[in-house]
Amino acid sequence: MIINNLFALSSFISIAATEICLGILIAILISKIFKKEIYLRDFPFGIIFLLFIIWIDISLIYKFFILKTMKFSLKKLFHGWLFLSFFCGYFLVKEEKIFKFFMISAIFSIVYGIYMQYFIQHIDVKGFYSHALTAANNWALAGIIGYFLAVVNYNKNKKDFYFYLFSFLIIFAGLIFSMRRGPILYFFLVILMMNFFLNKKLIFVNFFIIFVMFLAYLNFPYLHKKTNEIFQKNKDVCSSTETRIFLWKKSFEYIKKYPIFGVPEKFKKMIKKETNIKCWIRSHPHNGFLTIATYYGLPAVIIFLVLFGTIYIKLFEKIRDSHYSILGIFLVTLYLLEGLTENNFGDSEVKLFFWFSLGVIYRLIKKPYSLTI
């Protein structure tokens, strides 16, 4: 379907175009439900998604109308529509070639980002994104898909093998040029696990990645500085590491104080009231799990964990039937790892790409593919 391909192509280039395509796909999805081509009972994890969305809305309504500490916002109440990208991927995509459009889009975004960095003198390589960290989180996810499909196509389809290998190398380069520690580290850890799982002979890839990362550490002063600040004795209170630690500590305090519905006001506003430290990255806890728990209460993060626990169980159940289940396991693992140091669960660019890709993977699991390396 043309809209699916446009969604994939725009996912690394324009969030507005991606959301427009998603809106069209949702309309098609609803049309198929009314025509009884798709049944609500067939929606995977539908009840858990619904519970998660309902609890967040209950939390918001409580703050809008009972506490009256937050202004009413329809946009916030309809936050759950982005999750529908999962169902669009699951019901409306039937072929693996959609991933090729993701690769092309990611490569275009990376080339543009590197061009802007080194020829137009922007601060960092971020492609078309608002932030280099957002770009790095998405490029890491795309890199895992590209690498995995290169491996599984090595003995099946040489043309696809070279396409995905080339895509992986470009995406890996973009990830390094983004100079974001978290996504680079998590990407390496997942590749390491993946290689052990697929074929221990692939361990040489890990040595290659370690070598490239070491060269990047030596040759990129900014990456060198950001990595070293973790181990510095005299800490800069406004460094990204120290600010995150501060925000995590405050988040635990807020969760203890507001365990059911989360903080009554905006997180940034509450932090501003309680500290004189004027650090720039304090708009959220910079941890996806803590963000959900702090904003919406412990019930929300429990439902969220149940959702991913269920996803893992379903993927592991199909591990002998389809190599796509293996890809799903590692994609989900990377996404959750990224959430340890950033709010990528709420970042619309990352959220759209991840859930749509997982929907496609979950759909393709139903095909009888075997893993041969």
Side-chain angles (χ1 to χ4, degrees), residues 29 73 101 103 133 172 190 261 272 275 280 304 321 356:
L29 191 68
S73 170
F101 289 93
M103 298 299 108
L133 186 54
F172 180 52
V190 172
F261 296 115
K272 192 174 181 180
T275 179
W280 65 276
F304 184 79
D321 301 328
F356 187 79

Side-chain angles (χ1 to χ4, degrees), residues 16-214:
T18 307
E19 289 184 350
I20 290 170
C21 288
L22 177 60
I24 296 171
L25 289 173
I26 291 171
I28 295 169
L29 191 68
I30 293 171
S31 172
K32 287 183 176 292
I33 292 172
F34 277 105
K35 291 177 182 178
K36 295 186 177 180
E37 296 174 11
I38 295 173
Y39 296 93
L40 290 175
R41 65 175 179 268
D42 296 330
F43 276 50
F45 320 113
I47 293 175
I48 307 177
F49 272 110
L50 188 60
L51 286 174
F52 181 67
I53 292 166
I54 287 173
W55 185 265
I56 290 178
D57 284 343
I58 289 172
S59 171
L60 290 170
I61 290 169
Y62 174 72
K63 295 163 195 174
F64 290 154
F65 300 112
I66 297 177
L67 295 181
K68 296 182 179 180
T69 52
M70 292 179 67
K71 290 183 180 179
F72 176 75
S73 170
L74 275 175
K75 182 179 178 182
K76 287 184 178 180
L77 280 179
F78 285 98
H79 63 94
W81 82 284
L82 294 179
F83 285 117
L84 290 173
S85 58
F86 173 84
F87 303 107
C88 290
Y90 178 74
F91 285 106
L92 303 179
V93 180
K94 297 180 180 180
E95 296 181 5
E96 180 190 294
K97 67 179 181 181
I98 191 76
F99 292 127
K100 291 184 179 179
F101 289 93
F102 279 130
M103 298 299 108
I104 293 168
S105 183
I107 289 169
F108 185 61
S109 173
I110 288 163
V111 171
Y112 172 81
I114 292 175
Y115 170 76
M116 293 298 287
Q117 164 71 13
Y118 291 98
F119 294 94
I120 311 297
Q121 297 299 309
H122 278 206
I123 295 173
D124 39 29
V125 174
K126 59 185 181 180
F128 296 91
Y129 291 86
S130 58
H131 197 285
L133 186 54
T134 300
N137 282 327
N138 251 7
W139 291 342
L141 292 169
I144 289 297
I145 294 173
Y147 177 74
F148 187 89
L149 293 177
V151 171
V152 298
N153 279 293
Y154 180 74
N155 289 325
K156 290 172 57 179
N157 186 323
K158 286 295 183 182
K159 195 173 180 180
D160 281 354
F161 164 71
Y162 288 118
F163 172 81
Y164 285 115
L165 178 63
F166 173 77
S167 299
F168 164 73
L169 292 173
I170 297 297
I171 292 169
F172 180 52
L175 187 59
I176 293 295
F177 276 99
S178 75
M179 293 181 280
R180 289 305 180 261
R181 297 164 299 173
I184 292 172
L185 175 61
Y186 304 139
F187 177 79
F188 169 69
L189 290 175
V190 172
I191 287 282
L192 180 68
M193 291 186 289
M194 187 186 294
N195 286 335
F196 273 111
F197 188 90
L198 297 176
N199 190 327
K200 291 182 180 179
K201 292 179 182 178
L202 292 170
I203 192 66
F204 74 90
V205 176
N206 295 326
F207 291 118
F208 167 75
I209 292 175
I210 291 171
F211 178 69
V212 173
M213 289 172 63
F214 181 68

Side-chain angles (χ1 to χ4, degrees), residues 244-256 263 267 270-271 274-275 294:
R244 277 173 169 79
I245 292 171
F246 169 76
L247 293 174
W248 295 342
K249 288 178 180 178
K250 294 302 295 183
S251 295
F252 281 114
E253 290 178 17
Y254 292 151
I255 292 167
K256 187 176 180 180
V263 291
F267 181 84
M270 294 185 69
I271 289 290
E274 297 185 20
T275 179
T294 305

